[in-house]
């Protein structure tokens, strides 16, 4: 149901632009809009296998109605093609407990993903983002996707120093 796919150099979270698209619910009987890219130079994600966290920003517009109440989940597929990919569905953004009519930070933990076919992690060159919504979703303009990143979580030890002292007991012992 995604139409009018293009590049937006005005509205974006990071870098110099975002992928913009509109939703035309009459395009199919499916209740989702899907954006795919299989034309980019392949990247080696083997060092992130089952540990990586993939994040990107998803903008949900509020043009004439509260669109976010209709969005139920977002599916990310990444791999080699439409037959060999990892997939994961999330039902809320990482920066909020429900979808909002604004930028939503989407997070996909690879350890929870399902493999379809046989993926070659040293040559990832396929991405697909699917926004699922209820049958009540109407046509809407101005969805955006921006700033795909993958991270490997690392343990950190933080040392904290303070110039302030505190009481250890109610009797006044410092």
């Amino acid at each position: 149901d995604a139409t009018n796919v293009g590049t937006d150099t005005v509205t974006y979270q990071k870098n110099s632009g975002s992928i913009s698209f509109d939703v035309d619910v009459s395009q199919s009987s499916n209740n989702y809009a899907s954006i795919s890219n299989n034309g980019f130079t392949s990247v080696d994600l083997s060092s992130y296998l089952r540990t990586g966290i993939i994040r990107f920003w998803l903008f949900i517009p509020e043009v004439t109605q509260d669109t976010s109440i209709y969005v139920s989940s977002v599916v990310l597929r990444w791999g080699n093609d439409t037959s060999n990919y990892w997939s994961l569905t999330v039902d809320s953004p990482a920066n909020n407990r429900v979808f909002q009519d604004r930028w939503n930070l989407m997070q996909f933990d690879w350890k929870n993903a399902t493999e379809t076919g046989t993926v070659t992690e040293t040559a990832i060159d396929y991405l697909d983002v699917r926004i699922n919504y209820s049958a009540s979703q109407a046509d809407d303009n101005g969805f955006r996707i921006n700033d795909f990143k993958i991270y490997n979580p690392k343990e950190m030890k933080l040392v904290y120093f303070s110039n302030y002292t505190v009481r250890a007991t109610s009797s006044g012992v410092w």
Side-chain angles (χ1 to χ4, degrees), residues 11-89:
T11 305
Y12 54 89
Q13 265 309 90
K14 305 275 184 165
N15 302 314
S16 58
S18 62
I19 298 168
S20 64
F21 59 98
D22 302 331
V23 170
D24 181 353
V25 297
S26 64
Q27 289 289 318
S28 72
S29 60
N30 300 323
N31 288 330
Y32 64 83
S34 181
I35 301 290
S36 296
N37 186 347
N38 61 355
F40 60 91
T41 303
S42 67
V43 293
D44 181 356
L45 297 183
S46 59
S47 62
Y48 299 92
L49 180 63
R50 294 269 180 207
T51 59
I53 296 172
I54 301 171
R55 286 182 162 188
F56 65 88
W57 289 97
L58 169 65
F59 184 84
I60 299 174
E62 181 178 19
V63 179
T64 58
Q65 60 183 0
D66 188 5
T67 302
S68 68
I69 64 172
Y70 303 118
V71 174
S72 59
S73 64
V74 176
V75 180
L76 176 63
R77 293 179 177 174
W78 66 99
N80 309 119
D81 53 43
T82 58
S83 300
N84 302 286
Y85 58 85
W86 289 93
S87 67
L88 185 59
T89 303

Side-chain angles (χ1 to χ4, degrees), residues 71-157:
V71 174
S72 59
S73 64
V74 176
V75 180
L76 176 63
R77 293 179 177 174
W78 66 99
N80 309 119
D81 53 43
T82 58
S83 300
N84 302 286
Y85 58 85
W86 289 93
S87 67
L88 185 59
T89 303
V90 296
D91 56 8
S92 64
N95 64 337
N96 208 318
R97 51 183 192 81
V98 295
F99 291 102
Q100 302 287 315
D101 289 331
R102 58 177 171 260
W103 287 106
N104 295 268
L105 179 61
M106 304 307 303
Q107 177 172 307
F108 299 84
D109 295 352
W110 197 329
K111 67 182 177 186
N112 299 326
T114 302
E115 185 177 17
T116 298
T118 303
V119 180
T120 304
E121 285 79 14
T122 57
I124 301 294
D125 59 356
Y126 166 74
L127 282 173
D128 180 80
V129 175
R130 179 178 290 183
I131 301 163
N132 295 312
Y133 43 75
S134 73
S136 300
Q137 172 72 39
D139 294 348
D140 212 347
N141 299 326
F143 284 82
R144 288 170 177 73
I145 297 172
N146 183 228
D147 196 39
F148 266 89
K149 299 234 179 182
I150 187 165
Y151 304 92
N152 244 340
K154 302 290 183 194
E155 185 176 329
M156 286 176 61
K157 180 179 180 180

